[in-house]
Amino acid sequence: MTLIKKKVGVLGGGQLGRMLMEAANRLNVELVIVDPLKNSPAKQLSSGTHIDLPFTDPNAIIELANKVDIITAEIEHVDTKTLTEIVEAKLSSPESINKNQKYGVENVNVYPSPHSIRTIQDKYLQHKVLFENNIPVAPFEDCPTLEDAVKTAQKFSYPFLLKAKKGAYDGRGNIVVKSESELVDAWNHLSKNKISSSDSSDSGIYAEKFVAFSKELAVMVVKSLDDQFVCYPIVETVQKDNICHVVWAPGCIDGLQAKKAQSLACNAVKALSTLPVNIQTQNPDTPAAKSSISKIPKSAGVFGVEMFLLTNGEILVNEIAPRPHNSGHYTIEACETSQYENHLRAILGLPIGSTNLKVNYAAMVNILGTTNKGDHNSENSKQNGYSAMDSIYQNILSVPGATLHTYGKEEAKPGRKMGHVTVVSDSPSEIQHRVYQILNIIDGKPFTNKVEPKDFSSVYSYKPAPLVGIIMGSDSDLPVMKLAAKQLESFDIPFELTIVSAHRTPDRMVEYAKTAKDRGLKVIIAGAGGAAHLPGMVAALTTLPVIGVPVKGRCLDGVDSLYSIVQMPRGIPVAAVAINNADNAGLLAARMLGSYVSSFSSGMADYLNKIREEVEVKIEKLENVGYENYN
Amino acid sequence: MTLIKKKVGVLGGGQLGRMLMEAANRLNVELVIVDPLKNSPAKQLSSGTHIDLPFTDPNAIIELANKVDIITAEIEHVDTKTLTEIVEAKLSSPESINKNQKYGVENVNVYPSPHSIRTIQDKYLQHKVLFENNIPVAPFEDCPTLEDAVKTAQKFSYPFLLKAKKGAYDGRGNIVVKSESELVDAWNHLSKNKISSSDSSDSGIYAEKFVAFSKELAVMVVKSLDDQFVCYPIVETVQKDNICHVVWAPGCIDGLQAKKAQSLACNAVKALSTLPVNIQTQNPDTPAAKSSISKIPKSAGVFGVEMFLLTNGEILVNEIAPRPHNSGHYTIEACETSQYENHLRAILGLPIGSTNLKVNYAAMVNILGTTNKGDHNSENSKQNGYSAMDSIYQNILSVPGATLHTYGKEEAKPGRKMGHVTVVSDSPSEIQHRVYQILNIIDGKPFTNKVEPKDFSSVYSYKPAPLVGIIMGSDSDLPVMKLAAKQLESFDIPFELTIVSAHRTPDRMVEYAKTAKDRGLKVIIAGAGGAAHLPGMVAALTTLPVIGVPVKGRCLDGVDSLYSIVQMPRGIPVAAVAINNADNAGLLAARMLGSYVSSFSSGMADYLNKIREEVEVKIEKLENVGYENYN
C-alpha cells in the first residue's frame, strides 16, 4: 500500500537517489529509478523494478512516464526537452491529444518543473534570472566570442572566473583566469568541451567577477505545490578541490544574518521556480506573456542554494541545485524532517515537515575514494581482507555521535564520493573535536581521542555564534568584567563582549537586548555600577536570563549597584551575583548552559574538583609549616 | 563493498528486519532474509536475493548458513536446535568434521547465541535463570499438572497469572486467573494450545504471582562480543490490549531510579547471555560444567528488557527479547545510534555506538491496522482512492516533529502493526501534546492543533521527572516560595517542592544537592531567611545553577538574607533575586530553561506581553478617570 498510491520516477540513481529511496521506503512511496547502472546506489535499496538506461535518454524518460505519476530528478543534467514535452502534453489543448496518447503520459507531473531545471542547467541563464529578480549575484557577462571575454577581462580585471554555461559540476567547467595569456587557453579549453547548444552562435561561456568571500554558506529550501517556501538552517560549507568536504550546521553566522540569508535563498528559489525561462525576451505585461506564465507548470521540491558571505557582510547567491544537495545530508540525523523526506512530501503534495534542528550542533564530512593510503595497518588490512576504505569506515564508528552512510559504490576511485558521516553534539567545541577525529581517520590514521587541532584548524576551524553576551556600562568596568570572559574561555563557551550603556547609549541597549535571542545568545551577563540600570533594563527587553554584576563605585562600597540590580520588581528577574564578582557571573552562565550541554556541566564538575584541590594544598601546607610560619 | 565483507543472515523479515535492513544499507552490510513471505517488509528494502521459507524450517536455516557469515534473528520463535547444531559444528572437535562438511557452515556464527534464544523462548526457564542469578522477578511456580496449578493458586492467591512457557507474544498465552473456576478453564486452554515440547511430561504451563505495578518500563541493552553491556535510556511503555502502544523516552522516573533499572537490565542480559541453559541441573564448579561453560558460544546483539516499576519503588524484570524491540523504535530518530545499527555493530564485532538521547524528549506511537473508522472523510477517501490507513498516515505528517514509518504490509488487519510514528520535542508538555495529536489522528480524526487532553490523559499522561527543584529552609518560607511554584506551573515546567534545612537537616541537604543533577533537575531554587546558607551551600554541592530567594525575617528587613545569599565567594555562584521575590525566581528558572527549550522561551515572550498589557489597561483607566479618581 503506497502512501497516496502515487508512484514516483527518479532520474538518476546515485547517492542522492539512494537517500531519497530511504525516505520513500519509510513513507511506503514506490520509487522507480532511471540509471544506466544496473545496481546503482539507489536501486540497491529496493526490491522493485527499475529502468537501466541513461537518465538523459528520451526513451528512458518516456518509459518512466508510462510507469509513474510524478517524475523528479536527483541530478540536474537531465533531458529537459522530453520532460517539457510531457508537461506540455498534460497542459495542452485538445488538439494535442494524439500526442498525449502517443506518450500515454497525460497524467504525469514533473517536479521540479522542467522550466526550473532548464534554467538552472544553464548557469548563465540561472544567473541572469536571479539578477533580473533583484537577487544579489556576482557581476557577470556573456562571452559568446573570445573578443567578448577579453573585453570582460578589462571590465572585471584579473583574476576573474570563466565558466561553461552547461554541464559543470564539482568545479569542472570553471576556470580562474589570472592573466590575459591564461585567458586564451581557458577560453579555448571551455569552448572545446562545450555541451552542444541549440544556438550554435553561442560559445556556451560566460564570465563572473571574482568576489572576496569570507565563508561559503548553503541552505536547503523546500517549495511546496501550494507555494510555501520553507527553509532549513543556514550551514557553512568548506570546499576542498572544489568538492564540498565539511558542512557545519548551524553555520558560523549570527542569527540575524542567517535570517537574511534564508530570505534571500527563498526569493532565489521563487525566482527560478515561478518565472518562465523566456521572460527576458518578453514583456511580461503582454497578454501573450501572461497566458504563457499561467501555463508554466508548478515547481516543487527541495532546492540547494549555495551562497557567498562577503567580507563586508553582504551575501551573494552563487548557484542553485534543483534537488537534494550534499550540504543537506546532515538533515537526516539533525533535523526534525530530512531534506529527502521533504522533497517527497513537496512533490507528492503532502504537508511539509518541520525543518528545525533537533540537536544543538551537527556536521557532515564527505568520504571520498582513496588509494590505499591507510597503510599504517596495510599488513593487518591485507590479512583481514580489509581495504583502506573499510578501515576508514570501521574507525569512524568509534567517533561518538557519528553516523556513517556508505553509498554501495563498487570502486573507490580517488575523488569519488563513497559515503559521508554525520556527527552531532550538544556543544560547539565537541562538534569541532569530533569532526577533527573524523578528518584524522579519513587521512588514514586510527581513531584517537587526542587529535591535534592545529592539523585541521587552519581550514576547518568552527567559530559558532556566541552563546553568552558580556556587556558593561563603561570601559571602567572592564577590569572587573573580563573575569567573566576568562571563566567562559576556560569552559570553551563562545561569547561576545562589548560596552552598552543604559544611560549614554539607550538606543543601542534596546537594539542589543531585543536582538540578543535572535542572534543566538542564550545568556547575557551585564555589569554596571552606581545606579546600575543596565542588567534590569536589558532583562525587560529580552526573554533570555540576565546575570547582573554589581560593580563597586567610588562611594557606598557597591551596595548602590547591588540594590539597583537585585531589587527588581515582580515580573522581570535579574540573577544578581556578589559585588565585583564577575568570576561568579561567568561560572553561573556556564552552569545555566550546562543544564542542557553535558560538556559544560562536566567541565563544571572538574572546576569544583580543582578549587577543592587548591584548598587541600593550602591545608597541607598549613599542617606542614604551622600557622605561625604560614604566609 | 561490504563494511567488513561479512554477510548477515536474518531469521524473520517483518518490521524489525525492515529497520535492520535500513541500518545495514547505510553500513553497506549485506543482509539475507529468511521469511516465508516473498515480499516481506524487510525484503522490500533490498535488491539482493533472499530465502522465501519459514524461519522455523531447519532447511531454510541450513541454506542460510551456507550463504552468510553470521546468523541473527528478528524474532525469538526460531529453530534453536538447528542453530545450536551449526554453532556446535563450529566449536566441536575434529571428529565432527564430517558433520561440518555436510552443513558447509564451519565458519558461521549465530548471535545472539542459540543458548540465549533457547532460554528466552521458554519463559519459565528464562524466569528461572534470572531468579537464580539474583535478578528480581515476580514469584513463579512450575505447573506441570492441574493439581500443581491449584496448589500454586493457594500459595499466590487470586488473581494470578497462568502462562504458556513457549510461543507467547503480545499477550497471547497469558491468562489472568481470578478464581478457582477460571483456573480449570485457563489451564485446559493453555495446555490444549501448548507448543510441542521435547519433554512430554511437561505441561508447558507455569504460574506467576500478580504484582501491583505502577508503570511498565523497558530498556534496550547492547551486548558486544567483548562483553561490554551498553544501555539505552529507560523508557516507559503504555500497553493497550497487551500490545505496546506508546513509548515515552525518557520514562517518567527519576535519574537515580533509571540508573538502578539500567544496571538491573544489564545484569539480566548478562545472566541470559553467558550461562549455559542447563546450569540448574549441574554443579557449575565441576570440571565438566566448567568445560561446558567455556564451550558456550558468545552471545551478542541488542536485547529488549521489559520491567515493572512497583508501587513501592521496587523494580522487577518481566521478560526479555533477544532482538531489537518495539520499545526501542524511538532510537532511530532520538538517539545518537539506533538499536538496529547497534545490533549490527554488536554482532559484527564493530565498536558500539553511543546510546545517548540526542533530543530532550521522544515518544513512539504504534499504528495498528484498522477497519475504515476514518469515516469522517470516507466519501472524500473513496473519491481519491485513499484508505482509512492512508488518511491516518497523511494526517500524521502534519504533526510537527513526527516521523512516520510504514512497514509495507499489504493488509491492514485489525490489530496488525502497520507502522509507527516517532515524535521528538524539546519540552515535556509539547511531547505530550504531540502524542495526543497523533492518538487523535489514529482514532480517525483529522489533524488538529487543539486536542482535548482529557480524551487521552487518563491512560497516556506523561509526568516526566521534574526539571526544577524548589527547596526552602522552613515551612514558614512556603507562603513566599509557592509563588515560584505557581510561575513554573504557568509555563508547564515540571518541578518538585520540599523542605531542606541547611542547619537542621544538613545531611539531607548534602544528599539532595549531590543527587539533584542525576535525578534530572536542571535548576534549583532555594529560599532561606536570616543567616541564609541554603542556596550557597547547595551551590557548593552541585554543578546546577542555583537561584537564591532571600526571605524577609523579623529583623533587618531581609537584608541579612540578601547578603547571605548574594555575597558568595569566588568559585561558587548563586543567582540572587530580590527579597521575597520568589515570582522572579520562578521566572528566572523559566528563562534559563528557555535558552534551550523553545516553548518555554515563547511562553516568556507571551508573559512579557501580558504584563505590558496589564499596565496598558491601567494607563487607559488613568486617562479615563483622571488621577484624582483613580483607585
Side-chain angles (χ1 to χ4, degrees):
Chain A
M1 178 194 306
T2 57
L3 187 60
I4 51 163
K5 298 197 170 59
K6 280 188 182 156
K7 280 194 196 180
V8 176
V10 184
L11 300 174
Q15 64 268 19
L16 299 173
R18 184 179 175 98
M19 290 181 266
L20 203 62
M21 182 68 84
E22 211 172 37
N25 283 336
R26 275 200 280 99
L27 293 175
N28 226 352
V29 169
E30 191 178 337
L31 296 192
V32 180
I33 304 288
V34 178
D35 193 283
L37 217 64
K38 201 176 158 49
N39 193 32
S40 80
K43 292 178 190 169
Q44 293 169 20
L45 268 56
S46 141
S47 61
T49 52
H50 301 288
I51 298 174
D52 301 335
L53 290 170
F55 39 78
T56 46
D57 178 345
N59 293 325
I61 297 177
I62 300 296
E63 189 184 333
L64 181 67
N66 277 287
K67 288 182 189 231
V68 300
D69 305 292
I70 294 169
I71 294 179
T72 189
E74 58 115 55
I75 183 162
E76 56 273 37
H77 303 300
V78 293
D79 173 18
T80 49
K81 192 167 160 282
T82 307
L83 292 174
T84 305
E85 280 171 16
I86 288 170
V87 171
E88 280 174 356
K90 182 178 161 63
L91 292 175
S92 60
S93 45
E95 58 263 34
S96 69
I97 277 178
N98 283 340
K99 200 175 168 190
N100 295 352
Q101 284 169 334
K102 181 182 126 205
Y103 282 155
V105 295
E106 56 278 17
N107 285 315
V108 179
N109 286 304
V110 179
Y111 302 126
S113 74
H115 289 85
S116 295
I117 301 176
R118 203 165 55 190
T119 309
I120 287 170
Q121 277 179 344
D122 182 335
K123 289 166 86 176
Y124 172 72
L125 184 56
Q126 184 191 138
H127 230 80
K128 199 167 152 68
V129 170
L130 292 175
F131 177 76
E132 284 165 355
N133 281 277
N134 302 315
I135 309 296
V137 290
F140 65 109
E141 282 293 341
D142 196 4
C143 299
T145 66
L146 180 56
E147 288 68 47
D148 295 312
V150 172
K151 243 183 273 173
T152 302
Q154 285 161 355
K155 190 171 159 193
F156 287 170
S157 83
Y158 296 98
F160 73 98
L161 287 152
L162 214 53
K163 292 188 165 185
K165 290 181 179 175
K166 290 192 178 176
Y169 76 98
D170 282 352
R172 273 185 266 184
N174 290 358
I175 299 176
V176 180
V177 184
K178 291 182 199 120
S179 65
E180 191 163 343
S181 64
E182 284 185 20
L183 175 57
V184 178
D185 287 350
W187 203 89
N188 285 334
H189 178 78
L190 291 177
S191 105
K192 220 181 293 169
N193 295 301
K194 86 166 193 174
I195 303 272
S196 65
S197 161
S198 53
D199 179 1
S200 62
S201 71
D202 186 343
S203 68
I205 296 173
Y206 77 108
E208 252 181 61
K209 199 169 151 72
F210 198 83
V211 290
F213 60 85
S214 61
K215 285 177 198 303
E216 293 189 70
L217 306 176
V219 63
M220 300 307 305
V221 176
V222 195
K223 185 197 174 295
S224 73
L225 280 170
D226 58 354
D227 289 329
Q228 280 179 72
F229 292 85
V230 185
C231 255
Y232 278 91
I234 297 288
V235 300
E236 185 173 340
T237 63
V238 184
Q239 318 281 322
K240 197 172 147 184
D241 305 331
N242 288 303
I243 296 177
C244 171
H245 200 225
V246 170
V247 169
W248 301 102
C252 303
I253 60 170
D254 90 24
L256 293 181
Q257 255 184 321
K259 278 197 179 166
K260 189 178 136 194
Q262 284 177 317
S263 134
L264 197 58
C266 285
N267 287 337
V269 172
K270 203 171 200 171
L272 290 171
S273 57
T274 51
L275 283 181
V277 292
N278 52 351
I279 186 79
Q280 68 274 15
T281 60
Q282 286 189 357
N283 177 350
D285 295 329
T286 63
K290 276 186 182 157
S291 134
S292 140
I293 290 173
S294 76
K295 278 197 184 160
I296 299 299
K298 291 219 168 266
S299 208
V302 298
F303 291 77
V305 182
E306 295 183 281
M307 290 169 287
F308 295 130
L309 176 66
L310 305 192
T311 41
N312 66 3
E314 214 182 311
I315 298 167
L316 302 185
V317 171
N318 176 21
E319 61 178 63
I320 295 179
R323 52 168 170 81
H325 192 254
N326 200 160
S327 67
H329 289 351
Y330 79 95
T331 60
I332 297 176
E333 281 81 18
C335 292
E336 291 190 339
T337 316
S338 81
Q339 66 165 344
Y340 299 99
E341 179 162 338
N342 262 338
H343 184 68
L344 290 174
R345 290 187 184 211
I347 66 175
L348 287 162
L350 297 168
I352 303 304
S354 52
T355 54
N356 294 337
L357 271 175
K358 63 183 175 187
V359 296
N360 291 344
Y361 300 95
M364 191 278 327
V365 184
N366 270 338
I367 304 172
L368 303 182
T370 173
T371 48
N372 204 333
K373 61 176 169 174
D375 47 11
H376 63 280
N377 62 356
S378 61
E379 262 321 296
N380 187 17
S381 299
K382 266 183 236 150
Q383 279 171 22
N384 293 297
Y386 293 180
S387 70
M389 291 308 295
D390 282 330
S391 156
I392 288 172
Y393 291 153
Q394 287 210 39
N395 285 326
I396 281 172
L397 298 181
S398 293
V399 180
T403 303
L404 174 66
H405 293 250
T406 65
Y407 301 153
K409 296 182 183 175
E410 282 297 329
E411 271 181 277
K413 285 186 204 156
R416 190 177 209 185
K417 289 176 182 168
M418 298 302 292
H420 76 265
V421 200
T422 304
V423 64
V424 300
S425 171
D426 55 8
S427 99
S429 51
E430 192 175 71
I431 194 82
Q432 179 169 293
H433 176 70
R434 290 176 174 184
V435 166
Y436 290 179
Q437 287 181 311
I438 294 165
L439 292 168
N440 199 51
I441 289 166
I442 290 177
D443 273 355
K445 312 224 177 71
F447 168 77
T448 171
N449 240 322
K450 284 174 193 141
V451 284
E452 282 294 336
K454 69 174 168 46
D455 293 349
F456 306 101
S457 55
S458 66
V459 179
Y460 299 104
S461 157
Y462 183 51
K463 291 199 189 355
L467 295 175
V468 180
I470 304 177
I471 53 176
M472 60 207 81
S474 155
D475 62 350
S476 64
D477 302 326
L478 188 58
V480 168
M481 296 306 290
K482 73 180 174 193
L483 300 172
K486 287 202 172 149
Q487 288 291 359
L488 293 173
E489 248 166 26
S490 74
F491 286 90
D492 265 336
I493 296 173
F495 65 92
E496 59 179 28
L497 184 151
T498 187
I499 298 167
V500 175
S501 166
H503 305 126
R504 284 162 295 170
T505 64
D507 293 338
R508 175 171 162 79
M509 179 192 68
V510 172
E511 170 80 9
Y512 185 90
K514 284 199 167 177
T515 60
K517 185 175 188 316
D518 284 344
R519 285 190 299 114
L521 293 185
K522 302 217 173 270
V523 182
I524 294 173
I525 298 175
H533 295 175
L534 185 66
M537 282 311 302
V538 167
L541 293 159
T542 181
T543 60
L544 296 178
V546 177
I547 301 171
V549 182
V551 177
K552 188 171 150 180
R554 261 162 295 177
C555 29
L556 295 173
D557 252 3
V559 174
D560 47 351
S561 321
L562 172 60
Y563 284 177
S564 301
I565 288 171
V566 78
Q567 284 298 101
M568 286 295 292
R570 177 183 169 278
I572 309 292
V574 167
V577 293
I579 295 165
N580 270 11
N581 200 335
D583 270 305
N584 276 7
L587 293 167
L588 183 58
R591 286 185 181 225
M592 290 179 186
L593 298 172
S595 288
Y596 283 101
V597 182
S598 53
S599 67
F600 299 157
S601 87
S602 62
M604 185 57 67
D606 294 343
Y607 174 83
L608 293 177
N609 275 331
K610 196 192 79 183
I611 61 173
R612 180 178 46 71
E613 284 164 6
E614 282 170 8
V615 179
E616 283 167 355
V617 167
K618 293 179 185 174
I619 293 167
E620 207 183 324
K621 184 181 162 192
L622 185 56
E623 274 179 15
N624 290 343
V625 304
Y627 72 91
E628 287 152 319
N629 299 317
Y630 191 93
N631 56 37
Chain B
M1 178 194 306
T2 59
L3 188 59
I4 53 164
K5 296 196 172 59
K6 280 187 181 155
K7 279 194 196 180
V8 175
V10 184
L11 300 174
Q15 64 268 20
L16 299 173
R18 184 179 174 98
M19 290 181 267
L20 203 62
M21 182 68 84
E22 210 172 38
N25 283 336
R26 275 201 279 99
L27 294 174
N28 226 352
V29 169
E30 191 178 335
L31 297 192
V32 180
I33 305 288
V34 178
D35 194 282
L37 217 64
K38 202 176 156 50
N39 194 32
S40 80
K43 292 178 189 170
Q44 292 168 20
L45 268 54
S46 139
S47 60
T49 53
H50 302 287
I51 298 175
D52 301 336
L53 290 170
F55 39 79
T56 46
D57 178 345
N59 294 326
I61 298 178
I62 299 296
E63 187 183 335
L64 182 66
N66 276 287
K67 286 183 191 236
V68 301
D69 305 292
I70 294 169
I71 293 178
T72 190
E74 58 113 57
I75 182 161
E76 56 272 37
H77 303 300
V78 294
D79 172 17
T80 49
K81 190 165 160 285
T82 308
L83 291 174
T84 305
E85 279 171 16
I86 288 170
V87 170
E88 279 173 356
K90 184 179 160 60
L91 292 176
S92 60
S93 46
E95 57 264 31
S96 69
I97 278 180
N98 283 341
K99 200 175 170 194
N100 294 353
Q101 283 171 335
K102 182 182 126 209
Y103 282 155
V105 295
E106 57 277 18
N107 285 313
V108 179
N109 286 303
V110 179
Y111 301 127
S113 75
H115 288 84
S116 296
I117 300 176
R118 204 166 52 191
T119 311
I120 287 170
Q121 274 179 345
D122 182 335
K123 288 166 86 174
Y124 172 72
L125 183 56
Q126 185 192 138
H127 231 77
K128 197 166 153 68
V129 170
L130 292 175
F131 177 74
E132 283 164 357
N133 281 275
N134 303 315
I135 309 296
V137 290
F140 65 109
E141 282 294 341
D142 197 4
C143 299
T145 66
L146 180 56
E147 289 67 46
D148 296 312
V150 172
K151 241 182 274 171
T152 303
Q154 285 162 355
K155 189 171 157 194
F156 287 171
S157 83
Y158 297 99
F160 73 99
L161 286 152
L162 213 54
K163 291 187 167 187
K165 290 182 180 176
K166 290 192 178 178
Y169 77 97
D170 282 353
R172 274 186 267 184
N174 290 355
I175 299 177
V176 180
V177 184
K178 291 182 199 119
S179 65
E180 192 163 343
S181 64
E182 283 185 23
L183 175 57
V184 179
D185 287 348
W187 203 89
N188 287 334
H189 178 80
L190 290 177
S191 103
K192 220 182 291 167
N193 295 300
K194 86 166 192 169
I195 301 276
S196 64
S197 161
S198 52
D199 180 2
S200 64
S201 71
D202 185 342
S203 68
I205 296 174
Y206 76 108
E208 252 181 61
K209 197 167 150 75
F210 198 83
V211 291
F213 61 85
S214 61
K215 283 177 199 302
E216 294 190 70
L217 306 175
V219 62
M220 300 308 305
V221 176
V222 195
K223 185 198 176 295
S224 72
L225 280 170
D226 57 355
D227 289 330
Q228 281 180 71
F229 292 84
V230 185
C231 255
Y232 278 91
I234 297 288
V235 300
E236 185 173 341
T237 63
V238 184
Q239 318 282 322
K240 197 173 147 181
D241 305 329
N242 289 303
I243 297 178
C244 171
H245 200 224
V246 171
V247 169
W248 300 103
C252 304
I253 59 172
D254 91 23
L256 293 180
Q257 255 184 322
K259 277 194 180 168
K260 190 177 137 195
Q262 283 177 320
S263 135
L264 196 59
C266 284
N267 287 336
V269 171
K270 204 171 198 168
L272 290 171
S273 57
T274 51
L275 284 180
V277 292
N278 52 351
I279 186 79
Q280 68 274 14
T281 61
Q282 287 188 357
N283 176 351
D285 295 328
T286 64
K290 275 187 183 160
S291 134
S292 140
I293 289 173
S294 76
K295 277 195 186 163
I296 299 297
K298 291 219 169 265
S299 208
V302 299
F303 292 78
V305 182
E306 295 182 281
M307 290 170 288
F308 294 129
L309 176 66
L310 305 193
T311 41
N312 65 4
E314 215 183 312
I315 298 167
L316 302 184
V317 171
N318 177 22
E319 60 179 63
I320 295 180
R323 52 168 171 81
H325 192 253
N326 201 161
S327 67
H329 289 350
Y330 79 94
T331 60
I332 299 176
E333 282 80 19
C335 293
E336 290 189 342
T337 315
S338 81
Q339 65 166 346
Y340 300 98
E341 179 162 337
N342 262 338
H343 184 70
L344 290 173
R345 290 187 185 211
I347 66 176
L348 287 164
L350 297 168
I352 304 303
S354 53
T355 54
N356 294 336
L357 272 174
K358 64 183 174 187
V359 297
N360 292 344
Y361 301 94
M364 190 277 327
V365 184
N366 271 337
I367 305 172
L368 304 181
T370 175
T371 49
N372 204 332
K373 61 177 169 175
D375 47 10
H376 62 281
N377 60 357
S378 61
E379 263 319 297
N380 187 16
S381 298
K382 268 183 234 149
Q383 278 170 23
N384 293 295
Y386 293 180
S387 71
M389 292 307 294
D390 282 330
S391 156
I392 288 172
Y393 292 154
Q394 286 209 41
N395 284 326
I396 281 171
L397 299 181
S398 292
V399 180
T403 303
L404 174 67
H405 292 251
T406 65
Y407 302 153
K409 296 182 183 175
E410 282 298 329
E411 271 181 277
K413 286 186 203 152
R416 189 176 211 186
K417 289 177 182 168
M418 299 301 292
H420 75 264
V421 201
T422 305
V423 64
V424 300
S425 171
D426 54 10
S427 100
S429 52
E430 192 176 72
I431 195 82
Q432 178 168 296
H433 176 69
R434 290 177 175 184
V435 166
Y436 290 178
Q437 286 181 312
I438 293 165
L439 291 169
N440 199 50
I441 290 167
I442 290 177
D443 273 356
K445 312 223 177 71
F447 167 78
T448 170
N449 240 322
K450 285 174 196 140
V451 285
E452 282 295 336
K454 70 172 168 46
D455 294 347
F456 306 101
S457 55
S458 66
V459 179
Y460 300 103
S461 158
Y462 183 52
K463 293 201 189 348
L467 296 175
V468 180
I470 303 177
I471 53 176
M472 59 208 81
S474 157
D475 61 349
S476 64
D477 302 327
L478 187 58
V480 169
M481 295 307 290
K482 73 178 174 196
L483 299 172
K486 289 207 171 145
Q487 288 291 358
L488 293 173
E489 248 165 26
S490 74
F491 285 91
D492 266 337
I493 296 174
F495 65 91
E496 59 180 28
L497 184 151
T498 188
I499 297 168
V500 176
S501 166
H503 304 126
R504 285 162 293 170
T505 66
D507 292 339
R508 173 172 164 76
M509 178 191 69
V510 172
E511 169 80 9
Y512 186 89
K514 282 198 170 179
T515 60
K517 187 178 187 315
D518 282 345
R519 286 191 297 113
L521 293 185
K522 302 214 172 270
V523 181
I524 294 173
I525 298 175
H533 295 176
L534 184 65
M537 282 311 302
V538 167
L541 293 159
T542 180
T543 59
L544 296 177
V546 177
I547 300 171
V549 182
V551 178
K552 189 171 150 179
R554 261 162 294 175
C555 30
L556 293 172
D557 251 3
V559 174
D560 47 351
S561 322
L562 173 61
Y563 284 177
S564 300
I565 289 171
V566 76
Q567 283 299 100
M568 287 295 291
R570 178 182 168 278
I572 310 293
V574 168
V577 293
I579 295 165
N580 270 10
N581 200 335
D583 270 306
N584 275 8
L587 292 167
L588 183 57
R591 286 186 182 224
M592 289 179 185
L593 298 171
S595 288
Y596 282 102
V597 182
S598 53
S599 66
F600 299 157
S601 87
S602 62
M604 186 56 68
D606 294 343
Y607 174 82
L608 293 178
N609 274 331
K610 195 191 80 182
I611 59 174
R612 181 179 44 73
E613 282 164 6
E614 282 169 11
V615 178
E616 282 167 354
V617 167
K618 293 178 183 173
I619 293 167
E620 208 183 321
K621 183 180 163 194
L622 185 56
E623 273 179 17
N624 290 342
V625 304
Y627 73 91
E628 286 151 317
N629 299 317
Y630 190 94
N631 55 38

